[in-house]
């Protein structure tokens, strides 16, 4: 009989239910990839991973096939708050939605009102920790993600100290360290949670993510390079010294992508499907994209693509400055995404200045995103920091060669001279130099095809990473 490892996986968002960013992609696919591991792959274990999400108001009004499980009380302010549990299944995986007043008053998934988010995610984290007892199921591992669910790991450790939850071990995956969550110092006592001496810097002692980093048995950064960067002053956000005290707890595991959904051979958003064997078909996607964007349809002109949140982190300002400087040379570029109004305006201005050459599509459009991956020649991603990055992985799978800054997961996934181009300094000059180099190499059609094929041959499926997570679970779970 294979041993079953039981994992409760908590996240603020998970595709296909609710997705705002990369966290949603990972929380949607990793739990299923873990469940798909066979006992042969794991050396005799199977994983019963279950996902719990907040029942965000937008989910509540849209989801079918969700059934009510029941309610329980969570102690709050000497009184009790009601927790309502709903359940559905995703490819056979139980998915629980946790509901209650703080979740319904929280509005969108992430609010601009820090107090609302603090109330919602503290409630969610603590209510989720009670879920296993209510449903009569005993997880070996509590796997939390980012600040939104980090307090579940903190509470689990305090409960352990109090002699409860003795057999549960905790894993915290860090998708984006700078987002540490709001001050919860007044909220925690409401839930009978005390602040203890953690050794964290004083400012961090009241924030969910640092408390989770202190409490979790294992901390996972979403790429090996990001794990190392967390220990540096540049990327450690003031926690580098603290994290440096627990080197044995910290590791990096690269994210995967859903290779069934992101498959150029079957993707129905594309004008023409293609594979390594039928790469020539890809040109039809480039022509369709050029025509859709109002550009001259000419396969000889290199087409650059950006699919990104419009954000400083992503280096969108660098892209706009560089393209402005290089306007007049033969290239075309499309940028797709929403975000910082200042950057959106700058993109719109560039489009006015270079209408036949640059197009900004300022919205969320997953179909156009796929058409850009499949039709553009070069994918630009000059992030200032990038914990993992998923779009460069999708771009490579679709034969769109990445030009990226050498940081975090970009360093771990793009190989200079083989699958793309990397540059060091996040300055317009740095990006300009590497882009000119890429454009020069593009002129050599045979060489460019090699880049594309190298990209498409990479394996970015979840298989390897899911096994790495399993090994990590095993290192903190006694396997009978
Ligand atoms: C965050 C990070 C991104 C990472 C994603 C999923 O969005 O910024 O680099 O790929 O989380 O882990």
């Amino acid at each position: 009989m294979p041993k079953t490892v039981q994992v409760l996986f908590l996240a603020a968002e998970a595709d296909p239910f609710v997705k705002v960013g990369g966290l949603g992609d990972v929380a949607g696919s990793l739990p299923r990839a873990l469940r798909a591991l066979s006992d042969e792959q794991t050396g005799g274990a199977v994983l019963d991973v279950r996902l719990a999400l907040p029942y965000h108001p937008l989910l509540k009004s849209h989801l079918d096939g969700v059934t009510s499980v029941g309610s329980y009380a969570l102690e709050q302010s000497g009184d009790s708050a009601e927790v309502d549990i709903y359940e559905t299944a995703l490819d056979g995986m139980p998915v629980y939605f946790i509901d209650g007043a703080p979740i319904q008053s929280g509005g969108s998934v992430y609010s601009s009102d820090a107090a609302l988010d603090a109330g919602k995610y503290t409630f969610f984290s603590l209510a989720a920790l009670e879920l296993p007892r209510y449903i009569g199921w005993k997880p070996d591992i509590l796997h939390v993600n980012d600040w939104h669910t980090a307090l579940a790991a903190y509470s689990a450790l305090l409960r352990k100290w109090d002699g409860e939850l003795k057999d549960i071990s905790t894993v915290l995956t860090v998708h984006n360290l700078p987002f540490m969550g709001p001050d919860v110092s007044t909220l925690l006592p409401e839930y009978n949670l005390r602040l203890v001496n953690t050794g964290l810097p004083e400012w961090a002692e009241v924030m969910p993510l640092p408390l989770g980093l202190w409490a979790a048995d294992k901390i996972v950064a979403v790429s090996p390079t990001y794990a190392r960067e967390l220990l540096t002053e540049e990327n450690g956000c003031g926690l580098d010294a603290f994290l440096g005290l627990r080197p044995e707890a910290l590791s990096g595991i690269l994210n995967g992508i859903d290779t069934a959904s992101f498959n150029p051979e079957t993707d129905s958003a594309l004008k023409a499907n293609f594979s390594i064997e039928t790469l020539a078909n890809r040109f039809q996607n480039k022509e369709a994209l050029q025509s859709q964007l109002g550009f001259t349809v000419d396969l000889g002109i290199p087409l650059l693509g950006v699919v990104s949140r419009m954000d400083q982190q992503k280096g969108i300002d660098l892209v706009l400055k560089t393209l402005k400087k290089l306007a007049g040379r033969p290239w075309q570029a499309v940028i797709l995404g929403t975000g910082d109004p200042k950057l959106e305006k700058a993109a719109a201005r560039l489009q006015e200045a270079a209408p036949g050459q640059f197009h900004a599509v300022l919205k969320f459009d997953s179909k156009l995103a796929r058409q850009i991956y499949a039709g553009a020649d070069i994918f630009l991603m000059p992030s200032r920091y990038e914990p993992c990055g998923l779009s460069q992985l999708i771009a490579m799978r679709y034969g769109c060669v990445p030009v990226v800054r050498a940081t975090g997961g970009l360093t771990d996934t793009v190989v200079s001279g083989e699958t793309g181009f990397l540059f060091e300094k996040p300055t317009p000059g740095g990006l300009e130099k590497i882009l000119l180099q890429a454009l020069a190499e593009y002129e050599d059609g045979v060489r460019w095809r090699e880049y594309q094929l190298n990209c498409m041959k990479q394996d970015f499926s979840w298989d390897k990473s899911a096994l790495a997570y399993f090994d990590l679970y095993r290192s903190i779970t006694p396997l009978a």
Side-chain angles (χ1 to χ4, degrees):
M1 264 296 275
K3 150 90 181 157
T4 303
V5 179
Q6 316 209 114
V7 183
L8 179 61
F9 195 97
L10 306 184
E13 48 174 298
D15 195 43
F17 303 109
V18 50
K19 184 182 118 168
V20 180
L23 170 62
D25 287 299
V26 174
S29 45
L30 172 59
R32 280 183 281 170
L34 285 163
R35 287 178 70 94
L37 291 175
S38 66
D39 58 342
E40 241 163 59
Q41 284 171 293
T42 59
V46 290
L47 284 107
D48 176 6
V49 185
R50 304 186 184 192
L51 174 66
L53 300 169
Y55 210 3
H56 297 292
L58 74 113
L59 283 178
K60 209 168 173 180
S61 53
H62 281 98
L63 283 187
D64 296 327
V66 175
T67 52
S68 166
V69 176
S71 309
Y72 50 85
L74 188 67
E75 242 182 86
Q76 190 191 9
S77 305
D79 201 351
S80 68
E82 184 172 303
V83 181
D84 298 317
I85 302 297
Y86 297 83
E87 184 180 7
T88 190
L90 179 64
D91 294 344
M93 171 172 71
V95 179
Y96 301 98
F97 296 107
I98 294 187
D99 200 10
I103 289 173
Q104 288 314 308
S105 64
S108 49
V109 177
Y110 307 116
S111 158
S112 50
D113 179 340
L116 277 185
D117 267 9
K120 171 167 62 183
Y121 287 113
T122 302
F123 174 85
F124 173 66
S125 299
L126 303 180
L129 196 56
E130 301 301 323
L131 173 71
R133 187 159 48 189
Y134 183 74
I135 58 174
W137 177 73
K138 217 170 151 204
D140 305 292
I141 303 283
L142 172 72
H143 190 155
V144 302
N145 293 273
D146 276 354
W147 78 262
H148 326 100
T149 49
L151 285 175
Y154 179 69
S155 179
L157 180 58
L158 297 197
R159 300 272 289 274
K160 216 179 223 182
W161 285 0
D162 293 342
E164 298 171 63
L165 300 180
K166 280 197 287 294
D167 303 323
I168 205 165
S169 300
T170 52
V171 175
L172 165 59
T173 295
V174 180
H175 301 260
N176 209 334
L177 183 72
F179 295 86
M180 297 192 193
D183 179 340
V184 287
S185 54
T186 52
L187 211 52
L188 293 189
E190 282 185 26
Y191 289 101
N192 293 330
L193 251 191
R194 59 193 189 275
L195 284 170
V196 296
N197 192 359
T198 56
L200 281 163
E202 209 178 316
W203 56 266
E205 275 187 321
V206 295
M207 297 164 102
L209 184 63
L211 291 171
L213 291 171
W214 168 75
D217 293 305
K218 292 288 178 191
I219 301 164
V220 182
V222 286
S223 68
T225 296
Y226 194 53
R228 283 190 295 276
E229 288 173 348
L230 292 183
L231 302 176
T232 64
E233 205 182 327
E234 190 189 342
N235 288 297
C237 302
L239 296 180
D240 35 300
F242 173 78
L243 288 168
L245 298 173
R246 339 186 31 201
E248 74 299 338
L250 175 65
S251 64
I253 300 177
L254 203 63
N255 289 330
I257 52 171
D258 181 341
T259 46
S261 163
F262 292 109
N263 183 355
E265 266 185 278
T266 53
D267 192 332
S268 62
L270 310 191
K271 170 93 173 91
N273 290 115
F274 61 96
S275 66
I276 289 181
E277 283 76 37
T278 58
L279 184 59
N281 289 350
R282 191 177 188 278
F283 288 126
Q284 295 176 46
N285 296 308
K286 178 168 173 180
E287 284 175 341
L289 186 59
Q290 286 177 318
S291 130
Q292 187 182 339
L293 296 169
F295 293 160
T296 307
V297 178
D298 180 343
L299 290 176
I301 304 176
L303 178 53
L304 321 178
V306 177
V307 177
S308 174
R309 251 185 307 121
M310 301 287 265
D311 198 304
Q312 273 287 108
Q313 179 203 333
K314 302 289 182 181
I316 300 300
D317 54 320
L318 303 180
V319 172
L320 297 174
K321 279 193 193 125
T322 306
L323 292 183
K324 191 168 170 198
K325 177 138 186 247
L326 298 181
R329 285 176 178 258
W331 52 259
Q332 300 165 336
V334 54
I335 188 162
L336 170 67
T338 60
D340 183 343
K342 269 219 289 273
L343 290 170
E344 290 193 1
K345 264 201 211 109
R349 273 201 306 273
L350 182 58
Q351 178 171 329
E352 272 167 34
Q357 189 171 28
F358 177 79
H359 202 103
V361 185
L362 302 173
K363 60 175 180 179
F364 181 82
D365 184 337
S366 58
K367 189 168 173 198
L368 179 58
R370 289 164 180 267
Q371 292 165 343
I372 292 174
Y373 294 126
D377 300 297
I378 293 177
F379 191 75
L380 291 178
M381 197 163 171
S383 306
R384 289 199 161 75
Y385 72 91
E386 195 60 74
C388 176
L390 301 172
S391 7
Q392 85 278 16
L393 307 181
I394 305 170
M396 283 190 262
R397 183 154 165 78
Y398 282 63
C400 187
V401 180
V403 169
V404 302
R405 166 137 195 271
T407 181
L410 296 172
T411 303
D412 292 335
T413 54
V414 179
V415 182
S416 171
E418 263 177 55
T419 57
F421 301 81
L422 292 110
F423 71 106
E424 294 286 339
K425 286 248 171 320
T427 58
L431 176 58
E432 182 188 333
K433 196 165 156 224
I434 197 77
L435 180 56
L436 287 174
Q437 191 188 324
L439 289 170
E441 294 220 29
Y442 174 81
E443 294 298 312
D444 178 347
V446 176
R447 175 87 182 104
W448 196 258
R449 219 176 104 87
E450 240 173 71
Y451 270 107
Q452 290 183 299
L453 294 177
N454 288 343
C455 284
M456 293 176 73
K457 281 182 201 149
Q458 304 300 309
D459 177 6
F460 295 123
S461 68
W462 268 107
D463 291 5
K464 252 190 292 171
S465 308
L467 261 184
Y469 271 106
F470 169 73
D471 283 339
L472 188 80
Y473 293 161
R474 183 162 50 186
S475 73
I476 48 175
T477 321
L479 274 186

